[in-house]
Amino acid sequence: GEDVEQSLFLSVREGDSSVINCTYTDSSSTYLYWYKQEPGAGLQLLTYIFSNMDMKQDQRLTVLLNKKDKHLSLRIADTQTGDSAIYFCAEIFGGYQKVTFGTGTKLQVIP
Amino acid sequence: DGGITQSPKYLFRKEGQNVTLSCEQNLNHDAMYWYRQDPGQGLRLIYYSQIVNDFQKGDIAEGYSVSREKKESFPLTVTSAQKNPTAFYLCASSIVDTENTEAFFGQGTRLTVV
């Protein structure tokens, strides 16, 4: 199957920016998503980007998409302790309804 | 309120026993999914269903079974054939739509084999 890869761990200081990276393999992806998982809970959708876009900004969140390199990133500005969680990128294949998730990046915010 | 509910939150099973995890949604979604989450491995798809009375194996279906008798319900049975069942299990649902598919997740069930 297709692989979606992320680094496993990221540590930042409170107030700094966090950048979480993701590489995907299927160029036919229609939408790419970022989900957040807090400890012991399900996933919540943070934001998404359509594959014909390069960038999307939503308050403290900025998503960058480089289709040529199949690289997706999530930037969190002014990172807070409440942002500590696991972040998953996910790709949707146009035409079928299976979601493929990345391996998840655990973000630790140091006060 | 619409949502997706998993129960129980914590489940303990003795080796050799089958156990069924519940997943119910009232979002009127056609598609439902079961994922297994292990530390450092992210989410892996066990089974998914796009319509009532139909389901497909995901990447790690061995040792699991599902049914989809009703649109709202997609229970997962972890059988004694599953070699390493201790994990966090997540159920999700989505509309079946080629333009934009967001998956909505339950809060998960943590299964521990004792």
Side-chain angles (χ1 to χ4, degrees):
Chain A
E2 294 78 8
D3 289 328
V4 179
E5 296 185 352
Q6 300 177 238
S7 53
L8 289 180
F9 190 75
L10 176 66
S11 180
V12 299
R13 294 205 174 274
E14 190 174 17
D16 288 349
S17 292
S18 308
V19 179
I20 302 170
N21 295 302
C22 171
T23 56
Y24 60 98
T25 55
D26 194 304
S27 58
S28 63
S29 300
T30 307
Y31 282 86
L32 293 137
Y33 291 80
W34 283 103
Y35 282 87
K36 177 183 180 182
Q37 184 185 35
E38 297 187 359
L43 278 65
Q44 291 181 306
L45 180 65
L46 276 180
T47 187
Y48 63 90
I49 188 167
F50 188 49
S51 58
N52 70 352
M53 298 169 65
D54 297 323
M55 186 182 86
K56 180 179 179 181
Q57 187 149 6
D58 184 0
Q59 298 183 329
R60 292 192 297 125
L61 305 178
T62 303
V63 179
L64 294 176
L65 176 60
N66 181 331
K67 284 197 76 173
K68 176 176 171 290
D69 295 336
K70 296 180 185 171
H71 183 262
L72 179 74
S73 67
L74 173 70
R75 179 176 180 269
I76 306 173
D78 187 25
T79 311
Q80 303 297 307
T81 55
D83 295 325
S84 293
I86 301 176
Y87 291 81
F88 292 92
C89 62
E91 57 176 337
I92 313 299
F93 299 95
Y96 54 106
Q97 307 307 318
K98 192 177 74 168
V99 178
T100 299
F101 287 87
T103 48
T105 299
K106 184 173 184 178
L107 174 64
Q108 179 188 47
V109 181
I110 304 167
Chain B
D1 287 337
I4 180 165
T5 304
Q6 288 185 243
S7 61
K9 190 170 175 67
Y10 299 96
L11 190 56
F12 295 87
R13 188 195 92 178
K14 290 184 179 178
E15 278 192 30
Q17 288 181 337
N18 293 353
V19 64
T20 297
L21 282 60
S22 169
C23 179
E24 304 277 332
Q25 53 97 1
N26 60 3
L27 300 165
N28 200 33
H29 286 167
D30 286 307
M32 296 187 75
Y33 314 81
W34 273 106
Y35 291 90
R36 171 182 170 139
Q37 185 178 16
D38 296 283
Q41 293 195 49
L43 298 175
R44 291 183 289 167
L45 182 66
I46 304 172
Y47 268 98
Y48 66 102
S49 167
Q50 295 183 346
I51 196 167
V52 174
N53 292 323
D54 187 48
F55 47 82
Q56 286 79 39
K57 291 182 179 180
D59 300 320
I60 54 164
E62 186 175 350
Y64 299 97
S65 66
V66 293
S67 62
R68 188 85 187 277
E69 296 176 3
K70 298 187 300 181
K71 188 176 186 178
E72 300 80 19
S73 179
F74 190 41
L76 173 74
T77 297
V78 184
T79 75
S80 56
Q82 168 50 234
K83 298 275 186 279
N84 186 20
T86 295
F88 189 57
Y89 290 87
L90 285 164
C91 178
S93 71
S94 71
I95 61 172
V96 178
D97 187 303
T98 56
E99 289 299 313
N100 183 358
T101 300
E102 174 189 350
F104 292 81
F105 284 81
Q107 293 298 298
T109 293
R110 184 164 296 281
L111 173 64
T112 303
V113 174
V114 297

